[in-house]
Amino acid sequence: GEKVEQHESTLSVREGDSAVINCTYTDTASSYFPWYKQEAGKSLHFVIDIRSNVDRKQSQRLIVLLDKKAKRFSLHITATQPEDSAIYFCAARTNSAGNKLTFGIGTRVLVRP
Amino acid sequence: NAGVIQTPRHKVTGKGQEATLWCEPISGHSAVFWYRQTIVQGLEFLTYFRNQAPIDDSGMPKERFSAQMPNQSHSTLKIQSTQPQDSAVYLCASSLTGDEQYFGPGTRLTVL
């Protein structure tokens, strides 16, 4: 089955700088890649996603890049703010798996003032 | 819209006891998912329903775990003969389209 590796376990960035989280996946049939954010003491909430028919998607300060050849996707948080501090999870889904998501282990992002 | 509701928020059981976890999805959402979150294993998919029908239970430990969705307003996850390794946060999520999933606050299960 699909395996998703999230390469950074922790990231510390200065407020205003960019944070980049990288994930790789194993199943070439994966076609949908969402990102979720988990703030301290709270549950996950969806932040952005990308499908395999595009290689870049932006939503305000969030940019997701997808490199299908390398089976890699990344989340770029630009102009970071203190409220961006959280754990971020990448995930992948293959069409054959229905709506089942396989998650990465999570990256803790700390934005320093 | 209250979001996905999960009860109880915390449950402590003794080894060998049964635990039943409840989830109320967002009204109108046809897909319901159960996940388990631990520090060691991260987020693991357990099972998924669409329109109350079980679609994929490939993540469920076969012997002691079962899930049901008797109506569109709630789903249950039952763990029989709980073991310490079942200790985790159990998350329920619902989705309108199957893409963006809305997660509940989770039930923290502690098995002593």
Side-chain angles (χ1 to χ4, degrees):
Chain A
E2 173 69 282
K3 288 183 172 44
V4 176
E5 187 172 351
Q6 201 160 341
H7 295 268
E8 297 82 9
S9 57
T10 59
L11 269 180
S12 179
V13 298
R14 190 171 297 173
E15 184 176 350
D17 288 350
S18 291
V20 182
I21 305 169
N22 295 285
C23 291
T24 52
Y25 59 98
T26 58
D27 192 337
T28 52
S30 285
S31 59
Y32 175 69
F33 306 91
W35 289 84
Y36 285 82
K37 176 182 181 182
Q38 187 172 33
E39 295 171 79
K42 297 186 179 179
S43 194
L44 283 79
H45 76 261
F46 171 89
V47 290
I48 192 171
D49 59 9
I50 190 167
R51 297 181 189 279
S52 57
N53 60 342
V54 297
D55 55 19
R56 185 183 191 277
K57 182 174 180 179
Q58 181 165 1
S59 174
Q60 299 181 320
R61 296 185 295 105
L62 301 178
I63 301 170
V64 181
L65 302 178
L66 174 62
D67 180 344
K68 292 189 289 293
K69 278 188 180 178
K71 289 188 280 188
R72 180 174 57 220
F73 58 114
S74 57
L75 175 67
H76 299 244
I77 309 170
T78 61
T80 53
Q81 300 173 1
E83 56 265 34
D84 296 327
S85 295
I87 301 174
Y88 291 80
F89 294 90
C90 60
R93 185 184 78 196
T94 60
N95 289 337
S96 62
N99 289 103
K100 170 184 172 181
L101 290 175
T102 301
F103 283 89
I105 199 74
T107 297
R108 182 180 298 275
V109 173
L110 175 63
V111 180
R112 310 186 311 271
Chain B
N1 186 345
V4 175
I5 298 171
Q6 288 189 251
T7 55
R9 294 292 306 276
H10 302 272
K11 187 168 182 68
V12 180
T13 66
K15 183 178 173 181
Q17 292 184 326
E18 183 178 287
T20 300
L21 314 180
W22 294 71
C23 171
E24 181 180 329
I26 293 172
S27 178
H29 283 194
S30 59
V32 173
F33 303 83
W34 284 95
Y35 296 90
R36 176 167 64 180
Q37 185 176 28
T38 61
I39 298 293
V40 174
Q41 298 292 335
L43 274 158
E44 299 174 282
F45 168 83
L46 293 175
T47 190
Y48 154 52
F49 295 86
R50 180 172 283 282
N51 295 321
Q52 300 169 232
I55 302 298
D56 182 351
D57 67 353
S58 59
M60 294 276 274
K62 293 303 178 198
E63 291 184 352
R64 298 182 294 106
F65 284 58
S66 62
Q68 293 184 324
M69 191 160 184
N71 56 60
Q72 63 186 12
S73 64
H74 89 272
S75 174
T76 57
L77 179 68
K78 184 181 290 187
I79 309 171
Q80 295 178 310
S81 185
T82 53
Q83 303 297 310
Q85 62 264 30
D86 299 331
S87 296
V89 176
Y90 289 82
L91 293 167
C92 176
S94 71
S95 177
L96 182 63
T97 64
D99 287 345
E100 183 175 344
Q101 296 183 20
Y102 293 78
F103 282 79
T107 294
R108 182 175 297 278
L109 176 66
T110 302
V111 182
L112 301 176

